[in-house]
Each structure stands twice: as C-alpha cells, then as structure tokens.
Amino acid sequence: MAMDLRKLFQSDGAEETVCQELDFSGVELGGVKPFCAPVEAKARLKSFAGSVELELEARFTLAMPCDRCAAEVVREYRKEFFHVLVRELENGEDADELIPVPEEELDLERLVLEDVLLDMPGQFLCREDCKGLCPRCGKNWNEGPCGCYEPEVDPRLEVLRQLL
Ligand SMILES: [Zn+2]
Ligand SMILES: [Zn+2]
C-alpha cells in the first residue's frame, strides 16, 4: 500500500508518524524463509525545505540455520534507517540516502524490505565459536568430538620427544 506524501510536501515542517506491521513471511533468502514473525515498522516523516526526511525503525525476528552447524538460530533485531525523499533528483546529487518519489507516494513495505535485506548480517552463527559439523560423519562438534580425526603429531616433534 502506497503512502500519500502530498500533504507533507506541501507544508514545510509537517510531521507524520506511521506504524505498520509487515508480513515478509513469504520472502526467501538462501533457501529459507527467515521472517518467522511480522515485521514492525515505524516511519517518522518530517517535511523540510521541499523534501521529506524519513526515519525508519524496523523490529523483526529472524529464524536462520547456523552457517556452520545448521542449528536454527532465532534472533531479534532492531534497526534504524534514514532516507530523504525528494520529488526529483537534481544532477550530481548523491543518491545514496535520497529516494526519488516523483508521484509523491511511498511504498513503505518495499523500502523496509530493501533496507532490511541490504543490512543482513553476512554470517549467521548459533554462537561466536560454533565448531560446526564433522565433514566425515556429520556429528555436531559443539556436542563433543566424534573421533574421525585423531590429532596428528608432527613426526619431527615425535623425534624430539623421544630424545627427551
Ligand atoms: Zn552453529
Ligand atoms: Zn566425524
């Protein structure tokens, strides 16, 4: 659903706060659908000198498999984003935080999804020092060693040890 921004663009200093619950449960990421609960988005809009400043806050919960051991990791996030909505981009303007809205409408849902996806952590781990799975037998090394790999002794060290 698109938000109508006309009023904001018309009066300098006008403010509006919008809260929306967004359903991203169908969004797929690397073969899983991580948005296990509705995403709470809060948008604070403020018109300023012919543009509209947008402070965005997104609260969401992700359920993703750990990159190393595949155990499901459920974690809550709270992220903030900032954008400036403009009716048109002027030549040479840095478009990084500027979002052109020529129709004076904003698709908040799409913007939140883009922001959140671009900001995804590169790695999901159940814990910092997750030991992962044994590539041979598949045992979860967090639960203990499996015995597939004996610690190898450097033969040169072995010679030294026998001399001592
Ligand atoms: Zn793990
Ligand atoms: Zn093993």
Side-chain angles (χ1 to χ4, degrees), residues 31 33 56 75 120 130 160 163:
K33 292 178 177 168
L56 207 56
R75 220 162 265 162
M120 278 282 177
C130 172
L160 267 180
L163 287 175

Side-chain angles (χ1 to χ4, degrees), residues 3 15 18 31 33 38 40 46 50 65 67 71-72 80 84-85 90-91 108 111 124 136 140 142 144 147 157 159:
M3 275 180 66
E15 288 183 40
V18 178
K33 292 178 177 168
E40 283 176 47
K46 192 177 174 186
D67 284 344
E72 190 180 61
E80 284 178 10
V84 177
L85 312 175
E90 312 218 342
N91 276 342
L108 187 63
L111 181 62
F124 282 91
R136 193 175 291 173
N140 188 336
N142 296 315
L157 286 178
V159 172

Side-chain angles (χ1 to χ4, degrees), residues 3 9 18 25 52 69 74 76 89 97 118 143 161-162:
M3 275 180 66
F9 273 114
V18 178
S25 58
V52 176
C69 74
V74 178
E76 286 178 25
L89 287 175
E97 62 180 18
L118 283 175
E143 292 160 8
R161 212 177 58 172
Q162 281 169 8

Side-chain angles (χ1 to χ4, degrees), residues 119-152:
D119 199 51
M120 278 282 177
Q123 211 182 22
F124 282 91
L125 295 178
C126 60
R127 59 187 214 214
E128 235 1 79
D129 62 345
C130 172
K131 296 185 179 77
L133 303 177
C134 170
R136 193 175 291 173
C137 73
K139 185 181 156 103
N140 188 336
W141 279 338
N142 296 315
E143 292 160 8
C146 55
C148 290
Y149 296 88
E150 293 302 329
E152 277 177 39

Side-chain angles (χ1 to χ4, degrees), residues 54-71:
L54 168 60
E55 283 174 36
L56 207 56
E57 185 188 312
R59 287 170 189 269
F60 53 97
T61 307
L62 295 179
M64 291 280 280
C66 170
D67 284 344
R68 288 188 199 145
C69 74

Side-chain angles (χ1 to χ4, degrees), residues 22-61:
L22 306 171
D23 177 16
F24 293 160
S25 58
V27 175
E28 209 178 293
L29 207 68
V32 290
K33 292 178 177 168
F35 294 96
C36 54
V39 175
E40 283 176 47
K42 186 174 175 183
R44 275 201 207 94
L45 300 118
K46 192 177 174 186
S47 73
F48 177 75
S51 54
V52 176
E53 293 179 348
L54 168 60
E55 283 174 36
L56 207 56
E57 185 188 312
R59 287 170 189 269
F60 53 97
T61 307

